[in-house]
Amino acid sequence: MSIKYQLKRSKNRKTLAIKIKAKEVFVYAPMHLKQDFIEQWLMQKQGWINKHLEKQIKRVDAASVLTQKTLTILGEEINLIFVEGQVKSNVELVDGVLSINTSRRVKNVSDKQLALIADFAKNKLTDYCSAKAQRLAKQINESFHSVSVKHVRSRWGACDSKRRLQFNLQLVSAPLWVIEYVVAHEVAHLKVMDHSRRFWQTVESIYPDYRKAENWLKENGYKLDIFKLE
Ligand SMILES: [Zn+2]
């Protein structure tokens, strides 16, 4: 899967450039340069990008999911309430309200609250992606080893040579049709590992409107970064 970045095109620009600002990757490109070309160029820069992102993400700011008080999970908006000083730490979902309860023994309350929400979201996303991947893989006669969800910085999804599919926790707040695209993308890698023409044809066979989803991620993806765990 491609790197997460914001694309800024301008008429006056003649060359490609990357900047990393506030933990986001910005790519500056000439007006009409082909997306494919930009993507390929970015792939070569992945090592550099990761190194610089790591540098910037030494300390984490306050997690926005905690300040927002709402969370979109698989297309549904959930209100969050925080209850401290409980006997046990856990989460409970009742009528669209997720209660995040922390035990009185917890020292760093916001860390714990964040971990509880992230765990909850991770389970939901894992279930969703597993079911989707199963259905889509069947359509192209492929099978996979496992599905997992992690909080990562630079990728929406991954598929390795051992046929393990991995998805970014941040996707949980994306629209369902976008999550489905990322699953379709990684499932297509079970058949074709690279981003060749054959690969995109495979994607298209299980997810026809993939360009729209790619664009959505490019334009809005950075907004999904609400689980700041490290
Ligand atoms: Zn890919």
Short mmCIF file of all heavy atoms in Angstrom, two decimals, residues 1-3 5 35 39 156 177-178 181-182 185 195 199-200 203 207 209-221:
data_model
loop_
_atom_site.label_atom_id
_atom_site.label_comp_id
_atom_site.label_asym_id
_atom_site.label_seq_id
_atom_site.Cartn_x
_atom_site.Cartn_y
_atom_site.Cartn_z
N MET A 1 0.85 -1.19 0.00
CA MET A 1 0.00 0.00 0.00
C MET A 1 0.87 1.23 0.00
O MET A 1 1.97 1.24 0.53
CB MET A 1 -0.87 -0.03 1.25
CG MET A 1 -1.91 1.06 1.30
SD MET A 1 -3.23 0.74 0.13
CE MET A 1 -4.07 2.32 0.22
N SER A 2 0.35 2.29 -0.58
CA SER A 2 1.17 3.48 -0.72
C SER A 2 1.31 4.27 0.58
O SER A 2 0.59 4.05 1.54
CB SER A 2 0.59 4.36 -1.82
OG SER A 2 -0.80 4.43 -1.65
N ILE A 3 2.24 5.18 0.55
CA ILE A 3 2.53 6.04 1.71
C ILE A 3 1.39 7.05 1.90
O ILE A 3 0.79 7.50 0.95
CB ILE A 3 3.85 6.78 1.44
CG1 ILE A 3 4.97 5.75 1.34
CG2 ILE A 3 4.13 7.84 2.48
CD1 ILE A 3 6.21 6.29 0.69
N TYR A 5 0.07 10.58 2.45
CA TYR A 5 0.60 11.93 2.26
C TYR A 5 -0.48 12.88 1.77
O TYR A 5 -1.53 12.45 1.31
CB TYR A 5 1.77 11.91 1.28
CG TYR A 5 1.37 11.49 -0.12
CD1 TYR A 5 1.07 12.45 -1.09
CD2 TYR A 5 1.28 10.16 -0.48
CE1 TYR A 5 0.70 12.08 -2.37
CE2 TYR A 5 0.91 9.77 -1.75
CZ TYR A 5 0.62 10.73 -2.70
OH TYR A 5 0.24 10.37 -3.96
N GLN A 35 -0.22 10.82 -11.31
CA GLN A 35 -0.27 10.24 -9.97
C GLN A 35 0.66 9.01 -9.85
O GLN A 35 1.38 8.84 -8.88
CB GLN A 35 -1.71 9.81 -9.68
CG GLN A 35 -1.97 9.48 -8.23
CD GLN A 35 -2.40 10.72 -7.45
OE1 GLN A 35 -3.11 11.56 -7.94
NE2 GLN A 35 -1.94 10.81 -6.24
N GLU A 39 3.62 8.36 -7.17
CA GLU A 39 3.59 7.20 -6.26
C GLU A 39 4.90 6.41 -6.34
O GLU A 39 5.46 6.01 -5.33
CB GLU A 39 2.45 6.26 -6.64
CG GLU A 39 1.09 6.92 -6.55
CD GLU A 39 0.45 6.81 -5.18
OE1 GLU A 39 0.01 5.70 -4.85
OE2 GLU A 39 0.41 7.82 -4.45
N TRP A 156 -1.64 2.41 5.02
CA TRP A 156 -3.03 2.07 5.32
C TRP A 156 -3.19 0.57 5.46
O TRP A 156 -4.08 0.09 6.16
CB TRP A 156 -3.95 2.58 4.23
CG TRP A 156 -3.99 4.07 4.17
CD1 TRP A 156 -3.61 4.85 3.13
CD2 TRP A 156 -4.41 4.95 5.21
NE1 TRP A 156 -3.77 6.17 3.46
CE2 TRP A 156 -4.26 6.26 4.73
CE3 TRP A 156 -4.89 4.76 6.51
CZ2 TRP A 156 -4.58 7.37 5.49
CZ3 TRP A 156 -5.20 5.87 7.27
CH2 TRP A 156 -5.05 7.15 6.76
N TRP A 177 -16.88 2.60 2.66
CA TRP A 177 -16.45 2.30 1.29
C TRP A 177 -14.95 2.51 1.10
O TRP A 177 -14.34 1.89 0.23
CB TRP A 177 -17.27 3.08 0.25
CG TRP A 177 -17.22 4.59 0.40
CD1 TRP A 177 -18.04 5.36 1.18
CD2 TRP A 177 -16.32 5.51 -0.24
NE1 TRP A 177 -17.70 6.69 1.07
CE2 TRP A 177 -16.67 6.81 0.19
CE3 TRP A 177 -15.28 5.36 -1.15
CZ2 TRP A 177 -15.99 7.95 -0.25
CZ3 TRP A 177 -14.60 6.49 -1.59
CH2 TRP A 177 -14.95 7.76 -1.15
N VAL A 178 -14.36 3.36 1.93
CA VAL A 178 -12.91 3.57 1.86
C VAL A 178 -12.18 2.40 2.53
O VAL A 178 -11.18 1.88 2.01
CB VAL A 178 -12.52 4.92 2.50
CG1 VAL A 178 -11.00 5.06 2.58
CG2 VAL A 178 -13.12 6.08 1.73
N TYR A 181 -12.15 -0.43 0.26
CA TYR A 181 -11.14 -0.31 -0.79
C TYR A 181 -9.77 -0.78 -0.30
O TYR A 181 -9.06 -1.51 -0.99
CB TYR A 181 -11.02 1.13 -1.31
CG TYR A 181 -9.70 1.34 -2.00
CD1 TYR A 181 -9.42 0.68 -3.19
CD2 TYR A 181 -8.69 2.11 -1.41
CE1 TYR A 181 -8.18 0.79 -3.79
CE2 TYR A 181 -7.45 2.23 -2.00
CZ TYR A 181 -7.20 1.57 -3.19
OH TYR A 181 -5.96 1.66 -3.78
N VAL A 182 -9.38 -0.34 0.90
CA VAL A 182 -8.06 -0.72 1.41
C VAL A 182 -7.97 -2.24 1.56
O VAL A 182 -6.95 -2.86 1.23
CB VAL A 182 -7.74 0.00 2.75
CG1 VAL A 182 -6.39 -0.45 3.30
CG2 VAL A 182 -7.74 1.51 2.56
N HIS A 185 -7.55 -3.62 -1.89
CA HIS A 185 -6.18 -3.36 -2.35
C HIS A 185 -5.22 -4.44 -1.83
O HIS A 185 -4.46 -5.03 -2.59
CB HIS A 185 -5.75 -1.96 -1.87
CG HIS A 185 -4.37 -1.56 -2.32
ND1 HIS A 185 -4.15 -0.51 -3.18
CD2 HIS A 185 -3.15 -2.05 -2.02
CE1 HIS A 185 -2.85 -0.39 -3.40
NE2 HIS A 185 -2.22 -1.32 -2.69
N HIS A 195 2.73 -3.06 -7.95
CA HIS A 195 1.64 -2.16 -8.37
C HIS A 195 1.59 -2.05 -9.89
O HIS A 195 1.44 -0.95 -10.44
CB HIS A 195 1.81 -0.78 -7.73
CG HIS A 195 1.53 -0.79 -6.26
ND1 HIS A 195 2.46 -0.45 -5.32
CD2 HIS A 195 0.43 -1.12 -5.57
CE1 HIS A 195 1.94 -0.56 -4.10
NE2 HIS A 195 0.70 -0.98 -4.24
N PHE A 199 -1.95 -5.67 -11.43
CA PHE A 199 -2.43 -5.47 -10.06
C PHE A 199 -3.68 -4.61 -10.04
O PHE A 199 -4.70 -4.96 -9.44
CB PHE A 199 -1.33 -4.82 -9.20
CG PHE A 199 -1.85 -4.35 -7.87
CD1 PHE A 199 -2.12 -5.24 -6.84
CD2 PHE A 199 -2.12 -2.99 -7.64
CE1 PHE A 199 -2.64 -4.81 -5.63
CE2 PHE A 199 -2.64 -2.55 -6.44
CZ PHE A 199 -2.89 -3.46 -5.43
N TRP A 200 -3.62 -3.46 -10.73
CA TRP A 200 -4.76 -2.53 -10.70
C TRP A 200 -5.99 -3.14 -11.37
O TRP A 200 -7.13 -2.86 -11.00
CB TRP A 200 -4.39 -1.18 -11.30
CG TRP A 200 -3.44 -0.44 -10.40
CD1 TRP A 200 -2.12 -0.19 -10.62
CD2 TRP A 200 -3.74 0.10 -9.10
NE1 TRP A 200 -1.58 0.47 -9.54
CE2 TRP A 200 -2.55 0.66 -8.59
CE3 TRP A 200 -4.89 0.15 -8.31
CZ2 TRP A 200 -2.47 1.27 -7.35
CZ3 TRP A 200 -4.82 0.77 -7.05
CH2 TRP A 200 -3.62 1.32 -6.59
N VAL A 203 -7.48 -5.22 -8.69
CA VAL A 203 -8.22 -4.37 -7.75
C VAL A 203 -9.58 -4.01 -8.35
O VAL A 203 -10.62 -4.16 -7.71
CB VAL A 203 -7.44 -3.06 -7.44
CG1 VAL A 203 -8.29 -2.10 -6.62
CG2 VAL A 203 -6.14 -3.37 -6.70
N TYR A 207 -13.14 -4.19 -6.84
CA TYR A 207 -13.53 -2.87 -6.32
C TYR A 207 -13.42 -1.85 -7.46
O TYR A 207 -12.40 -1.17 -7.59
CB TYR A 207 -12.63 -2.47 -5.14
CG TYR A 207 -13.16 -1.27 -4.38
CD1 TYR A 207 -13.91 -1.44 -3.23
CD2 TYR A 207 -12.93 0.02 -4.84
CE1 TYR A 207 -14.42 -0.35 -2.54
CE2 TYR A 207 -13.43 1.13 -4.16
CZ TYR A 207 -14.17 0.93 -3.02
OH TYR A 207 -14.67 2.01 -2.34
N ASP A 209 -14.55 1.18 -8.31
CA ASP A 209 -14.32 2.62 -8.19
C ASP A 209 -13.11 2.94 -7.31
O ASP A 209 -13.15 3.84 -6.47
CB ASP A 209 -15.58 3.28 -7.62
CG ASP A 209 -15.75 4.70 -8.14
OD1 ASP A 209 -14.87 5.16 -8.91
OD2 ASP A 209 -16.74 5.35 -7.77
N TYR A 210 -12.01 2.24 -7.53
CA TYR A 210 -10.87 2.37 -6.62
C TYR A 210 -10.22 3.76 -6.65
O TYR A 210 -9.67 4.22 -5.66
CB TYR A 210 -9.82 1.28 -6.88
CG TYR A 210 -9.10 1.39 -8.19
CD1 TYR A 210 -7.93 2.13 -8.30
CD2 TYR A 210 -9.57 0.75 -9.34
CE1 TYR A 210 -7.26 2.23 -9.50
CE2 TYR A 210 -8.91 0.85 -10.55
CZ TYR A 210 -7.75 1.59 -10.62
OH TYR A 210 -7.10 1.71 -11.81
N ARG A 211 -10.34 4.43 -7.78
CA ARG A 211 -9.70 5.76 -7.89
C ARG A 211 -10.33 6.75 -6.92
O ARG A 211 -9.65 7.56 -6.31
CB ARG A 211 -9.78 6.29 -9.31
CG ARG A 211 -8.76 5.64 -10.21
CD ARG A 211 -8.64 6.37 -11.54
NE ARG A 211 -7.74 5.62 -12.41
CZ ARG A 211 -8.12 4.62 -13.20
NH1 ARG A 211 -9.37 4.24 -13.23
NH2 ARG A 211 -7.23 3.99 -13.96
N LYS A 212 -11.63 6.65 -6.80
CA LYS A 212 -12.35 7.55 -5.90
C LYS A 212 -11.87 7.35 -4.45
O LYS A 212 -11.64 8.30 -3.71
CB LYS A 212 -13.85 7.26 -6.01
CG LYS A 212 -14.72 8.27 -5.33
CD LYS A 212 -16.20 7.93 -5.53
CE LYS A 212 -17.02 8.45 -4.36
NZ LYS A 212 -18.27 7.70 -4.19
N ALA A 213 -11.70 6.09 -4.07
CA ALA A 213 -11.25 5.79 -2.70
C ALA A 213 -9.81 6.24 -2.48
O ALA A 213 -9.47 6.78 -1.43
CB ALA A 213 -11.41 4.30 -2.43
N GLU A 214 -8.96 6.01 -3.49
CA GLU A 214 -7.57 6.47 -3.39
C GLU A 214 -7.53 7.98 -3.17
O GLU A 214 -6.78 8.48 -2.33
CB GLU A 214 -6.81 6.14 -4.68
CG GLU A 214 -6.26 4.73 -4.76
CD GLU A 214 -4.86 4.63 -4.14
OE1 GLU A 214 -4.05 5.53 -4.36
OE2 GLU A 214 -4.61 3.65 -3.43
N ASN A 215 -8.35 8.68 -3.93
CA ASN A 215 -8.39 10.14 -3.80
C ASN A 215 -8.90 10.57 -2.43
O ASN A 215 -8.39 11.52 -1.85
CB ASN A 215 -9.25 10.76 -4.89
CG ASN A 215 -8.54 10.72 -6.22
OD1 ASN A 215 -7.31 10.64 -6.27
ND2 ASN A 215 -9.30 10.75 -7.30
N TRP A 216 -9.90 9.87 -1.95
CA TRP A 216 -10.42 10.21 -0.62
C TRP A 216 -9.31 10.11 0.42
O TRP A 216 -9.13 11.00 1.25
CB TRP A 216 -11.61 9.31 -0.24
CG TRP A 216 -12.30 9.81 1.00
CD1 TRP A 216 -13.40 10.61 1.04
CD2 TRP A 216 -11.91 9.60 2.38
NE1 TRP A 216 -13.71 10.91 2.35
CE2 TRP A 216 -12.82 10.29 3.19
CE3 TRP A 216 -10.86 8.88 2.98
CZ2 TRP A 216 -12.74 10.29 4.58
CZ3 TRP A 216 -10.78 8.89 4.38
CH2 TRP A 216 -11.71 9.59 5.15
N LEU A 217 -8.56 9.02 0.34
CA LEU A 217 -7.47 8.82 1.31
C LEU A 217 -6.41 9.90 1.18
O LEU A 217 -5.86 10.37 2.18
CB LEU A 217 -6.85 7.44 1.13
CG LEU A 217 -7.66 6.28 1.71
CD1 LEU A 217 -7.10 4.94 1.22
CD2 LEU A 217 -7.64 6.32 3.24
N LYS A 218 -6.13 10.26 -0.05
CA LYS A 218 -5.12 11.27 -0.27
C LYS A 218 -5.53 12.62 0.31
O LYS A 218 -4.74 13.34 0.89
CB LYS A 218 -4.86 11.40 -1.77
CG LYS A 218 -3.44 11.08 -2.12
CD LYS A 218 -3.30 10.31 -3.37
CE LYS A 218 -2.84 8.90 -3.03
NZ LYS A 218 -2.92 8.00 -4.15
N GLU A 219 -6.80 12.94 0.14
CA GLU A 219 -7.27 14.24 0.58
C GLU A 219 -7.63 14.30 2.06
O GLU A 219 -7.49 15.32 2.71
CB GLU A 219 -8.48 14.67 -0.26
CG GLU A 219 -8.06 15.25 -1.59
CD GLU A 219 -9.19 15.25 -2.59
OE1 GLU A 219 -10.36 15.35 -2.17
OE2 GLU A 219 -8.90 15.11 -3.79
N ASN A 220 -8.13 13.19 2.58
CA ASN A 220 -8.66 13.22 3.95
C ASN A 220 -7.93 12.33 4.94
O ASN A 220 -8.21 12.38 6.14
CB ASN A 220 -10.13 12.80 3.94
CG ASN A 220 -10.94 13.64 2.98
OD1 ASN A 220 -11.20 14.80 3.25
ND2 ASN A 220 -11.32 13.07 1.86
N GLY A 221 -7.05 11.51 4.42
CA GLY A 221 -6.41 10.49 5.25
C GLY A 221 -5.76 11.03 6.51
O GLY A 221 -5.86 10.44 7.58
#
